[in-house]
PDB file of all heavy atoms in Angstrom:
ATOM      1  N   ALA A  27     -33.622 -19.084  54.909  1.00 97.00           N
ATOM      2  CA  ALA A  27     -32.565 -19.535  55.830  1.00 97.00           C
ATOM      3  C   ALA A  27     -31.202 -18.959  55.473  1.00 97.00           C
ATOM      4  O   ALA A  27     -30.284 -19.009  56.293  1.00 97.00           O
ATOM      5  CB  ALA A  27     -32.506 -21.063  55.828  1.00 97.00           C
ATOM      6  N   CYS A  28     -31.045 -18.412  54.263  1.00 97.00           N
ATOM      7  CA  CYS A  28     -29.764 -17.815  53.860  1.00 97.00           C
ATOM      8  C   CYS A  28     -29.377 -16.719  54.843  1.00 97.00           C
ATOM      9  O   CYS A  28     -30.168 -15.835  55.144  1.00 97.00           O
ATOM     10  CB  CYS A  28     -29.885 -17.236  52.444  1.00 97.00           C
ATOM     11  SG  CYS A  28     -28.455 -16.235  51.959  1.00 97.00           S
ATOM     12  N   ILE A  29     -28.147 -16.812  55.337  1.00 97.00           N
ATOM     13  CA  ILE A  29     -27.671 -15.836  56.328  1.00 97.00           C
ATOM     14  C   ILE A  29     -26.738 -14.799  55.713  1.00 97.00           C
ATOM     15  O   ILE A  29     -26.169 -13.965  56.422  1.00 97.00           O
ATOM     16  CB  ILE A  29     -26.963 -16.542  57.507  1.00 97.00           C
ATOM     17  CG1 ILE A  29     -25.840 -17.456  56.984  1.00 97.00           C
ATOM     18  CG2 ILE A  29     -27.970 -17.314  58.348  1.00 97.00           C
ATOM     19  CD1 ILE A  29     -25.016 -18.119  58.078  1.00 97.00           C
ATOM     20  N   GLY A  30     -26.563 -14.873  54.392  1.00 96.00           N
ATOM     21  CA  GLY A  30     -25.724 -13.881  53.717  1.00 96.00           C
ATOM     22  C   GLY A  30     -24.260 -13.959  54.086  1.00 96.00           C
ATOM     23  O   GLY A  30     -23.573 -12.941  54.103  1.00 96.00           O
ATOM     24  N   CYS A  31     -23.781 -15.170  54.353  1.00 97.00           N
ATOM     25  CA  CYS A  31     -22.394 -15.328  54.815  1.00 97.00           C
ATOM     26  C   CYS A  31     -21.375 -15.170  53.689  1.00 97.00           C
ATOM     27  O   CYS A  31     -20.212 -14.863  53.934  1.00 97.00           O
ATOM     28  CB  CYS A  31     -22.221 -16.685  55.484  1.00 97.00           C
ATOM     29  SG  CYS A  31     -22.414 -18.087  54.353  1.00 97.00           S
ATOM     30  N   GLY A  32     -21.795 -15.433  52.437  1.00 97.00           N
ATOM     31  CA  GLY A  32     -20.887 -15.281  51.297  1.00 97.00           C
ATOM     32  C   GLY A  32     -20.043 -16.509  50.996  1.00 97.00           C
ATOM     33  O   GLY A  32     -19.205 -16.471  50.086  1.00 97.00           O
ATOM     34  N   ALA A  33     -20.254 -17.604  51.731  1.00 98.00           N
ATOM     35  CA  ALA A  33     -19.479 -18.820  51.467  1.00 98.00           C
ATOM     36  C   ALA A  33     -19.715 -19.331  50.047  1.00 98.00           C
ATOM     37  O   ALA A  33     -18.813 -19.908  49.427  1.00 98.00           O
ATOM     38  CB  ALA A  33     -19.839 -19.898  52.484  1.00 98.00           C
ATOM     39  N   CYS A  34     -20.911 -19.113  49.532  1.00 98.00           N
ATOM     40  CA  CYS A  34     -21.233 -19.558  48.168  1.00 98.00           C
ATOM     41  C   CYS A  34     -20.387 -18.805  47.157  1.00 98.00           C
ATOM     42  O   CYS A  34     -19.873 -19.390  46.195  1.00 98.00           O
ATOM     43  CB  CYS A  34     -22.725 -19.368  47.890  1.00 98.00           C
ATOM     44  SG  CYS A  34     -23.370 -17.739  48.318  1.00 98.00           S
ATOM     45  N   VAL A  35     -20.218 -17.520  47.348  1.00 98.00           N
ATOM     46  CA  VAL A  35     -19.412 -16.706  46.429  1.00 98.00           C
ATOM     47  C   VAL A  35     -17.948 -17.130  46.511  1.00 98.00           C
ATOM     48  O   VAL A  35     -17.268 -17.284  45.499  1.00 98.00           O
ATOM     49  CB  VAL A  35     -19.561 -15.207  46.746  1.00 98.00           C
ATOM     50  CG1 VAL A  35     -18.729 -14.364  45.787  1.00 98.00           C
ATOM     51  CG2 VAL A  35     -21.023 -14.783  46.698  1.00 98.00           C
ATOM     52  N   LEU A  45     -26.423 -17.930  44.029  1.00 98.00           N
ATOM     53  CA  LEU A  45     -27.152 -18.694  45.061  1.00 98.00           C
ATOM     54  C   LEU A  45     -27.714 -17.751  46.118  1.00 98.00           C
ATOM     55  O   LEU A  45     -28.881 -17.856  46.500  1.00 98.00           O
ATOM     56  CB  LEU A  45     -26.236 -19.738  45.702  1.00 98.00           C
ATOM     57  CG  LEU A  45     -26.958 -20.768  46.570  1.00 98.00           C
ATOM     58  CD1 LEU A  45     -27.910 -21.622  45.725  1.00 98.00           C
ATOM     59  CD2 LEU A  45     -25.976 -21.649  47.312  1.00 98.00           C
ATOM     60  N   PHE A  46     -26.897 -16.844  46.560  1.00 95.00           N
ATOM     61  CA  PHE A  46     -27.317 -15.880  47.572  1.00 95.00           C
ATOM     62  C   PHE A  46     -28.468 -15.010  47.063  1.00 95.00           C
ATOM     63  O   PHE A  46     -29.507 -14.868  47.714  1.00 95.00           O
ATOM     64  CB  PHE A  46     -26.103 -15.023  47.968  1.00 95.00           C
ATOM     65  CG  PHE A  46     -26.437 -13.740  48.657  1.00 95.00           C
ATOM     66  CD1 PHE A  46     -26.903 -13.737  49.953  1.00 95.00           C
ATOM     67  CD2 PHE A  46     -26.285 -12.528  48.009  1.00 95.00           C
ATOM     68  CE1 PHE A  46     -27.207 -12.544  50.596  1.00 95.00           C
ATOM     69  CE2 PHE A  46     -26.590 -11.345  48.637  1.00 95.00           C
ATOM     70  CZ  PHE A  46     -27.055 -11.358  49.938  1.00 95.00           C
ATOM     71  N   ALA A  49     -31.719 -16.932  46.477  1.00 97.00           N
ATOM     72  CA  ALA A  49     -32.433 -17.267  47.717  1.00 97.00           C
ATOM     73  C   ALA A  49     -33.297 -16.095  48.152  1.00 97.00           C
ATOM     74  O   ALA A  49     -34.439 -16.267  48.587  1.00 97.00           O
ATOM     75  CB  ALA A  49     -31.439 -17.643  48.815  1.00 97.00           C
ATOM     76  N   CYS A  89     -21.344 -23.846  45.107  1.00 98.00           N
ATOM     77  CA  CYS A  89     -21.973 -22.928  46.062  1.00 98.00           C
ATOM     78  C   CYS A  89     -22.898 -23.669  47.015  1.00 98.00           C
ATOM     79  O   CYS A  89     -22.822 -23.508  48.235  1.00 98.00           O
ATOM     80  CB  CYS A  89     -22.754 -21.853  45.309  1.00 98.00           C
ATOM     81  SG  CYS A  89     -23.931 -22.513  44.096  1.00 98.00           S
ATOM     82  N   GLU A  92     -21.126 -25.963  49.562  1.00 97.00           N
ATOM     83  CA  GLU A  92     -20.458 -25.270  50.669  1.00 97.00           C
ATOM     84  C   GLU A  92     -21.407 -24.481  51.563  1.00 97.00           C
ATOM     85  O   GLU A  92     -21.016 -24.040  52.644  1.00 97.00           O
ATOM     86  CB  GLU A  92     -19.398 -24.300  50.113  1.00 97.00           C
ATOM     87  CG  GLU A  92     -18.251 -24.995  49.414  1.00 97.00           C
ATOM     88  CD  GLU A  92     -17.462 -25.928  50.334  1.00 97.00           C
ATOM     89  OE1 GLU A  92     -17.373 -25.641  51.541  1.00 97.00           O
ATOM     90  OE2 GLU A  92     -16.958 -26.937  49.832  1.00 97.00           O
ATOM     91  N   CYS A  93     -22.623 -24.282  51.118  1.00 98.00           N
ATOM     92  CA  CYS A  93     -23.568 -23.452  51.869  1.00 98.00           C
ATOM     93  C   CYS A  93     -23.900 -24.064  53.232  1.00 98.00           C
ATOM     94  O   CYS A  93     -24.366 -25.207  53.303  1.00 98.00           O
ATOM     95  CB  CYS A  93     -24.864 -23.268  51.066  1.00 98.00           C
ATOM     96  SG  CYS A  93     -26.137 -22.381  51.982  1.00 98.00           S
ATOM     97  N   PRO A  94     -23.698 -23.331  54.310  1.00 98.00           N
ATOM     98  CA  PRO A  94     -24.004 -23.877  55.644  1.00 98.00           C
ATOM     99  C   PRO A  94     -25.500 -24.055  55.892  1.00 98.00           C
ATOM    100  O   PRO A  94     -25.893 -24.731  56.837  1.00 98.00           O
ATOM    101  CB  PRO A  94     -23.410 -22.831  56.598  1.00 98.00           C
ATOM    102  CG  PRO A  94     -23.402 -21.563  55.826  1.00 98.00           C
ATOM    103  CD  PRO A  94     -23.143 -21.962  54.398  1.00 98.00           C
ATOM    104  N   LYS A  95     -26.320 -23.451  55.062  1.00 97.00           N
ATOM    105  CA  LYS A  95     -27.773 -23.565  55.226  1.00 97.00           C
ATOM    106  C   LYS A  95     -28.407 -24.456  54.155  1.00 97.00           C
ATOM    107  O   LYS A  95     -29.632 -24.500  54.025  1.00 97.00           O
ATOM    108  CB  LYS A  95     -28.414 -22.165  55.181  1.00 97.00           C
ATOM    109  CG  LYS A  95     -28.002 -21.291  56.354  1.00 97.00           C
ATOM    110  CD  LYS A  95     -28.489 -21.886  57.656  1.00 97.00           C
ATOM    111  CE  LYS A  95     -28.153 -21.014  58.844  1.00 97.00           C
ATOM    112  NZ  LYS A  95     -28.647 -21.602  60.106  1.00 97.00           N
ATOM    113  N   SER A  96     -27.579 -25.129  53.366  1.00 96.00           N
ATOM    114  CA  SER A  96     -28.059 -26.061  52.330  1.00 96.00           C
ATOM    115  C   SER A  96     -29.061 -25.416  51.378  1.00 96.00           C
ATOM    116  O   SER A  96     -30.084 -26.016  51.028  1.00 96.00           O
ATOM    117  CB  SER A  96     -28.675 -27.310  52.968  1.00 96.00           C
ATOM    118  OG  SER A  96     -27.746 -27.942  53.803  1.00 96.00           O
ATOM    119  N   ILE A  97     -28.772 -24.191  50.977  1.00 97.00           N
ATOM    120  CA  ILE A  97     -29.642 -23.521  50.001  1.00 97.00           C
ATOM    121  C   ILE A  97     -29.548 -24.272  48.669  1.00 97.00           C
ATOM    122  O   ILE A  97     -28.457 -24.578  48.189  1.00 97.00           O
ATOM    123  CB  ILE A  97     -29.227 -22.039  49.831  1.00 97.00           C
ATOM    124  CG1 ILE A  97     -29.338 -21.269  51.157  1.00 97.00           C
ATOM    125  CG2 ILE A  97     -30.064 -21.363  48.733  1.00 97.00           C
ATOM    126  CD1 ILE A  97     -30.724 -21.112  51.714  1.00 97.00           C
TER     127      ILE A  97
HETATM  128  S1  SF4 B   1     -23.427 -19.795  51.456  1.00 64.79           S
HETATM  129 FE1  SF4 B   1     -25.652 -20.165  51.699  1.00 64.79          FE
HETATM  130  S2  SF4 B   1     -26.184 -19.008  53.573  1.00 64.79           S
HETATM  131 FE2  SF4 B   1     -24.201 -18.212  52.891  1.00 64.79          FE
HETATM  132  S3  SF4 B   1     -24.736 -16.419  51.550  1.00 64.79           S
HETATM  133 FE3  SF4 B   1     -24.531 -18.233  50.218  1.00 64.79          FE
HETATM  134  S4  SF4 B   1     -26.637 -19.015  50.001  1.00 64.79           S
HETATM  135 FE4  SF4 B   1     -26.625 -17.659  51.804  1.00 64.79          FE
END
Side-chain angles (χ1 to χ4, degrees):
C28 170
I29 54 176
C31 66
C34 49
V35 180
L45 192 64
F46 162 72
C89 53
E92 294 299 329
C93 175
K95 294 296 183 179
S96 303
I97 300 295

